[in-house]
Amino acid sequence: MNQAEAEIGSQNEWYAEIKAFDDTKLGVKGLVDAGLTKIPRIFIHPQHDLHDRSACEDSQFSIPIIDLQAVSTDSNLRAKAIEKIQNACETWGFFQIVNHGIPKTDLEEMLAAIRRFHEQDAEVKKEFYTRDLRNKTLFLSNFDLFQAPVVSWRDTFALVMDSIPPEPESLPVICRDIAMVYSKLAHRLGITLFELLSEGIGLNPNHLKDMECAERITILGQYYPACPKPELTLGARSHSDADFMTILLQDQIGGLQVLHENQWVDVPPIPGALIVNIGDFLQLLSNDKLKSVNHRVIAKQEGPRISVACFFRTKFFEPGDDLKCYGPIKELLSEENPPMYKETTAQDFLKHYYSKGSGASALLHLKL
C-alpha cells in the first residue's frame, strides 16, 4: 500500500467513526451514559491547542464587569455605561453585565430547562436530532461534525426564536414556557445593548437596531458532560462568533476562556451576571471599532457544564438572504477612516467561516 492509499484508508476510517457517533443520535452524553472511560480518538485535540489550557490561572487580566443599572432612565449612568462598554469592546471584545433586567429566577430556570432537555429520556430526545439547519428546533452534537478536524466535547439544543417567535406548540414541552419568556427578555436586553453600542461608536441609538441586528435570535443550549480525560479534549475549540453579538448565560462550573493579548483568560462565573461578546459581523459593520475575539471552553472532570447562548445573527435560509450585503457602516467612514473591509453577503461569509477551520479570523479574507 502506498502513502496515498494509506491516507485515504485513514480518512475513510475517521469518517466511519464520525458517522457511527452521529448515527447514535445520543451525542457526547450518550457516550458518557454508556460508561465510557477512554475518549474516542475523534475527540482528541492536537497538543498545541491544549498545552496552555491552564496558562491563564496566574493572569493579571480580568474581564470587565459593567453595571447596567438605570441606563434607560439616568443619562449620567447611561453615559458611564456607554464609555465602559466601548472601552471593553475595543480592548477585550467581551464583558460581563450585572443589573441587566433579567430576573435571576428566569436565568436559573432557563439553565435548568436546558439541563432537563439534555437529560430527558434518550428515545424522546432522539426525535429532535437532525443536521437540517432549516429546522426551528434541533438537537445535535457539533454543528461542524463532518467538516471539523476534531470533535468537541459537547451537545447542543438549538431554538430559532427571532423577534417573532415560533408557535409555542412547536417547542418541546420540557422547556417551552421558559424558552418563550427568556427569548423575549433576551431580545429586549439585546435592543438595549445595540443602542448603547451604537452611541458608543458615534451613531444614533437606533442605528444598529434599524439595520435589523436584533431581529434574529438563535438560542443554543450547550451541554458539556463531565469528561474522564479533560486534558485530551476541549468543550469548544478556539473560535470567534459569526453573528452580530452574543449574550451568554453560564452556570457555576466555569471553563469559558477568552484570548486576550495572546493569553487565555478565564471568564469566572458571577451569579446573576450575563456575558456579552461582539461577533464578526459587528466588527465588520463597525470598521474595527468593535472587536470580535477568539474564545474557547475547556473540558472538565466536573459536570455537566450548562450554558445558554443567544446569538443575534444575520438571515440564513430565508428569501433574499443571498442578496443583502454587509460592510462598514457608511457614517463611520471618512478620508481619515477609510473602509477596512470589502462587503460580503451572509451566505458567502458563513461559507468561508465554516470552511476555514479554527484559529485565524474569518474577516481576514475581506481585508482591504
Side-chain angles (χ1 to χ4, degrees):
M1 182 185 296
N2 61 35
Q3 184 176 352
E5 289 173 332
E7 288 178 0
I8 291 171
S10 178
Q11 289 171 1
N12 289 340
E13 288 175 14
W14 183 271
Y15 177 83
E17 290 180 40
I18 294 281
K19 189 173 187 308
F21 168 67
D22 196 49
D23 286 347
T24 68
K25 299 185 177 182
L26 294 175
V28 178
K29 185 177 185 297
L31 298 176
V32 175
D33 290 346
L36 173 103
T37 56
K38 182 180 178 182
I39 294 180
R41 65 169 184 159
I42 59 174
F43 291 93
I44 298 177
H45 288 238
Q47 278 303 305
H48 62 78
D49 288 342
L50 298 167
H51 75 280
D52 57 351
R53 53 182 272 121
S54 300
C56 57
E57 289 182 357
D58 299 323
S59 173
Q60 72 273 29
F61 299 121
S62 60
I63 303 292
I65 301 171
I66 298 171
D67 193 338
L68 297 188
Q69 183 74 46
V71 293
S72 297
T73 56
D74 187 310
S75 58
N76 288 330
L77 290 177
R78 185 181 182 89
K80 289 179 181 178
I82 289 170
E83 182 181 0
K84 289 179 180 178
I85 288 172
Q86 183 59 30
N87 183 58
C89 291
E90 288 176 355
T91 56
W92 279 89
F94 264 77
F95 54 96
Q96 300 214 57
I97 52 174
V98 295
N99 295 315
H100 43 66
I102 300 183
K104 191 175 180 181
T105 51
D106 289 327
L107 301 179
E108 292 171 348
E109 174 56 19
M110 190 63 194
L111 287 170
I114 295 303
R115 182 166 188 159
R116 286 197 302 270
F117 176 87
H118 285 282
E119 295 182 352
Q120 69 182 312
D121 181 83
E123 293 305 312
V124 176
K125 191 168 63 171
K126 270 185 179 182
E127 296 175 11
F128 295 96
Y129 199 94
T130 180
R131 294 203 170 271
D132 186 348
L133 300 185
R134 291 169 295 186
N135 286 18
K136 300 293 186 184
T137 304
L138 61 142
F139 161 60
L140 48 65
S141 187
N142 289 250
F143 282 98
D144 58 355
L145 182 66
F146 289 93
Q147 293 81 37
V150 66
V151 186
S152 293
W153 194 260
R154 79 174 179 282
D155 299 328
T156 301
F157 173 52
L159 294 167
V160 179
M161 301 303 287
D162 293 353
S163 57
I164 303 175
E167 291 298 320
E169 294 74 24
S170 67
L171 303 179
V173 175
I174 204 164
C175 61
R176 178 182 297 164
D177 293 344
I178 187 59
M180 296 295 291
V181 170
Y182 188 78
S183 66
K184 290 176 182 176
L185 292 171
H187 179 242
R188 187 171 67 192
L189 174 59
I191 289 174
T192 298
L193 288 167
F194 281 122
E195 289 176 354
L196 300 174
L197 289 165
S198 292
E199 291 184 60
I201 57 176
L203 301 170
N204 77 66
N206 292 325
H207 198 106
L208 292 173
K209 184 179 73 170
D210 290 345
M211 293 183 73
E212 300 186 346
C213 291
E215 284 300 297
R216 295 168 188 85
I217 305 170
T218 295
I219 296 178
L220 299 188
Q222 311 280 29
Y223 187 94
Y224 304 83
C227 182
K229 295 286 184 181
E231 69 277 8
L232 297 180
T233 189
L234 287 169
R237 291 178 299 141
S238 176
H239 68 285
S240 60
D241 289 348
D243 63 354
F244 296 114
M245 177 180 71
T246 307
I247 298 176
L248 180 75
L249 165 63
Q250 67 170 342
D251 66 9
Q252 298 305 299
I253 296 287
L256 175 64
Q257 297 179 338
V258 175
L259 190 62
H260 181 68
E261 296 189 11
N262 295 314
Q263 183 176 343
W264 288 108
V265 180
D266 283 319
V267 183
I270 299 174
L274 290 166
I275 300 158
V276 180
N277 66 278
I278 301 302
D280 291 343
F281 276 96
L282 206 47
Q283 178 168 335
L284 172 67
L285 293 178
S286 71
N287 208 39
D288 274 358
K289 287 180 178 290
L290 308 171
K291 298 294 173 64
S292 174
V293 303
N294 277 29
H295 48 287
R296 68 181 184 183
V297 177
I298 60 171
K300 290 197 166 194
Q301 284 188 310
E302 313 99 291
R305 176 184 185 265
I306 312 291
S307 70
V308 182
C310 288
F311 292 87
F312 291 81
R313 56 169 178 76
T314 59
K315 289 182 180 181
F316 55 78
F317 299 127
E318 298 173 46
D321 64 353
D322 57 341
L323 300 176
K324 184 171 182 177
C325 285
Y326 295 89
I329 294 170
K330 300 295 188 288
E331 288 83 350
L332 299 177
L333 306 179
S334 64
E335 286 188 19
E336 295 77 27
N337 295 292
M340 306 283 287
Y341 300 101
K342 298 179 286 186
E343 289 190 341
T344 185
T345 63
Q347 195 174 63
D348 286 346
F349 181 84
L350 292 171
K351 183 178 179 181
H352 175 74
Y353 177 90
Y354 286 111
S355 66
K356 73 173 183 63
S358 62
S361 169
L363 291 169
L364 288 177
H365 81 295
L366 297 174
K367 277 277 190 180
L368 292 171

